[in-house]
Amino acid sequence: MNSQTLPLFTPQPRARFASAKRVVASPQAMPTGNTLQLFFAHAAIFLLPLPALKYTSTSITLADFFLVPAILMNLGYALRQIYAFQIPLLLAFPLFLFSHLLDPDCELITVFQICYIWGFLVPFGWCAFVNIPVRRIAYLLLASNVLSSLIAIGQFGGLIPDLPTQKVIQFKGSLKRAAGLMLQCNALAMSLTPCFLLLPYLPRVWPRIATCLMIIMGYASTVSKSAVLAIPGMLFYFLWREPEKRKFLLSALVVSLIGLGFLSQSSTDVWQLWELVKEAAQARWDGADNSFEERTNLVQIALEKSKECFLLGFGTEGTMILISESTGNTVHVFYLGLVVIAGYPAAALVTAGMLIIVGTLWAQRDYNVAIFLAAQMLALCVMTVLCVSFQYGVLMIAASVLAANDMRASSMRLPHR
């Protein structure tokens, strides 16, 4: 099992645990980076789940200003070796590019976005994080998503205003489907879905409980039906990776009772909260049939158009025009969106690249990160294809852990040759 996760889940003698920690910290066992590169990489990890922090009229987020130099400073890692997962991702890029170049409605900025996302970030973005321990990555991502969840809770209750970069759906009165520091509520749900697989990297049960509750409350604030997609990752974490299940449940109950106790200090606040929850549930229930019909209609239209995409797709603008001309919306299934945008071969290659990462991480016995990416792949099922870096952050991070594991294993074998 991976030396970074082993002490968390399997009781080990103290001496062996200390030895494992020394292996992780050893400069020979792990790739290293200079101070400036590490600063950019750490900032990029924290900011990736916060894409609402950007200039209004562009798809460039604050995270990109740190991510690009972090990749360029570590690009040497990618030049030394091509990993198996990179091959299908690199092969997919020309298909994306040609699909957009042949789209008569395509704009130059879109071509730049495609080159940035599919020619740079997706195949090479892992370089930025390859020299950061996975535990530290988990800390940064959890802190970032907890911050976004706190903002979402405030937005849900009407206490915190929306940012101009966000698209927030409003119900009756002040009730909103919160987006936190994401661009929209569905994006926040996608960002929170794989976070349960990061909880095992928190060494004590109380921080795990508090963080878990914050993620759940943030998820509830999105009032998103895609919450069901978080259940597999949640169950995987609790049933297999949580080492103190009974203590976790009892402590979570205590935390919940304390929270209710604070709320009960003012009966008006409790009543208002209960009314907000009932109103949100009723609004989502009333619109469920219409939402399902709309999504089904979009899928049917996309499937019909995909019959022309056996080699290339229609490009981003072309797809938006074709799909939205009768519905006013675009397809909300990431993988089907890849098909109509870049063609069946590109969609298959991208999916294959992600599955190779999951399979390799599983073979490396890095189960948390493998399911971390698998949970993200599941959450993408209800997302549109975006040219924004946050949607591919989990892919880059999972690939960086894979590469770091491989480099560490290679360096540990070298003295025995």
Side-chain angles (χ1 to χ4, degrees):
M1 186 176 287
N2 186 295
S3 60
Q4 295 174 351
T5 60
L6 183 59
L8 287 173
F9 314 116
T10 306
Q12 298 291 330
R14 187 176 301 274
R16 185 175 175 183
F17 176 69
S19 175
K21 291 179 67 175
R22 285 195 297 270
V23 170
V24 173
S26 170
Q28 292 183 347
M30 193 161 191
T32 58
N34 61 58
T35 303
L36 185 60
Q37 192 280 330
L38 289 173
F39 167 76
F40 283 123
H42 284 75
I45 292 173
F46 182 80
L47 292 170
L48 271 172
L50 311 176
L53 303 178
K54 72 182 187 74
Y55 183 66
T56 308
S57 62
T58 70
S59 64
I60 298 176
T61 68
L62 183 59
D64 293 298
F65 290 101
F66 296 92
L67 182 57
V68 171
I71 296 172
L72 293 176
M73 289 181 186
N74 263 9
L75 200 57
Y77 286 115
L79 299 179
R80 295 174 199 167
Q81 178 179 349
I82 294 292
Y83 290 93
F85 71 86
Q86 289 182 276
I87 296 173
L89 298 178
L90 288 169
L91 291 175
F93 169 60
L95 300 174
F96 276 94
L97 184 58
F98 289 138
S99 295
H100 285 79
L101 291 176
L102 295 176
D103 175 14
D105 300 299
C106 183
E107 300 178 354
L108 183 60
I109 186 63
T110 306
V111 175
F112 170 77
Q113 290 172 332
I114 292 301
C115 292
Y116 176 60
I117 295 294
W118 297 106
F120 183 63
L121 284 192
V122 171
F124 300 111
W126 59 270
C127 297
F129 316 123
V130 71
N131 47 359
I132 302 179
V134 65
R135 187 187 299 274
R136 196 180 305 160
I137 291 174
Y139 288 168
L140 290 168
L141 288 178
L142 287 174
S144 182
N145 280 284
V146 165
L147 173 62
S148 193
S149 294
L150 285 170
I151 300 295
I153 294 167
Q155 289 175 335
F156 176 78
L159 303 175
I160 297 178
D162 310 329
L163 294 177
T165 55
Q166 295 177 317
K167 180 182 179 182
V168 177
I169 300 173
Q170 186 155 352
F171 293 144
K172 295 180 293 183
S174 62
L175 187 62
K176 301 175 182 178
R177 292 184 60 191
L181 289 174
M182 293 296 257
L183 300 178
Q184 52 190 349
C185 52
N186 285 340
L188 177 58
M190 181 209 71
S191 179
L192 295 177
T193 295
C195 284
F196 296 101
L197 282 308
L198 300 176
L199 294 176
Y201 294 104
L202 299 177
R204 299 185 182 278
V205 68
W206 279 101
R208 292 201 296 273
I209 294 166
T211 305
C212 183
L213 290 176
M214 289 306 307
I215 292 172
I216 292 173
M217 291 173 65
Y219 223 131
S221 300
T222 69
V223 199
S224 175
K225 296 186 293 294
S226 63
V228 68
L229 298 178
I231 293 176
M234 191 186 309
L235 292 177
F236 181 91
Y237 153 65
F238 183 75
L239 296 177
W240 194 13
R241 313 308 284 172
E242 173 53 51
E244 301 179 79
K245 296 180 179 61
R246 181 179 299 179
K247 188 175 181 180
F248 185 97
L249 289 175
L250 290 175
S251 302
L253 178 61
V254 170
V255 170
S256 300
L257 291 175
I258 292 173
L260 289 174
F262 280 118
L263 285 175
S264 64
Q265 298 288 330
S266 171
S267 58
T268 303
D269 290 340
V270 176
W271 177 253
Q272 289 176 345
L273 180 63
W274 175 247
E275 287 298 315
L276 281 175
V277 172
K278 285 203 308 182
E279 188 177 355
Q282 186 63 44
R284 295 300 285 156
W285 180 261
D286 293 341
D289 290 342
N290 181 61
S291 176
F292 180 77
E293 290 177 3
E294 180 184 3
R295 297 291 180 93
T296 303
N297 186 39
L298 286 168
V299 169
Q300 290 174 343
I301 294 173
L303 286 173
E304 184 65 29
K305 298 297 183 182
S306 71
K307 294 178 181 179
E308 305 175 42
C309 302
F310 285 105
L311 181 58
L312 298 175
F314 300 107
T316 302
E317 280 81 8
T319 296
M320 177 64 72
I321 293 172
L322 289 171
I323 303 296
S324 65
E325 59 185 358
S326 57
T327 63
N329 210 333
T330 189
V331 61
H332 282 265
V333 181
F334 180 84
Y335 305 100
L336 184 54
L338 291 178
V339 171
V340 290
I341 287 174
Y344 275 102
L349 288 168
V350 170
T351 305
M354 291 192 285
L355 289 175
I356 290 173
I357 296 174
V358 172
T360 306
L361 285 167
W362 195 273
Q364 293 174 342
R365 308 178 86 180
D366 215 325
Y367 304 121
N368 276 24
V369 184
I371 306 301
F372 175 63
L373 179 54
Q376 173 77 357
M377 292 176 67
L378 189 61
L380 286 173
C381 290
V382 291
M383 283 290 295
T384 57
V385 179
L386 302 175
C387 288
V388 186
S389 56
F390 80 87
Q391 196 171 50
Y392 313 95
V394 171
L395 171 64
M396 292 186 285
I397 289 168
S400 74
V401 175
L402 181 157
N405 289 343
D406 182 78
M407 294 177 195
R408 182 160 49 247
S410 299
S411 66
M412 292 174 70
R413 286 194 301 264
L414 281 176
H416 302 289
R417 290 180 181 176

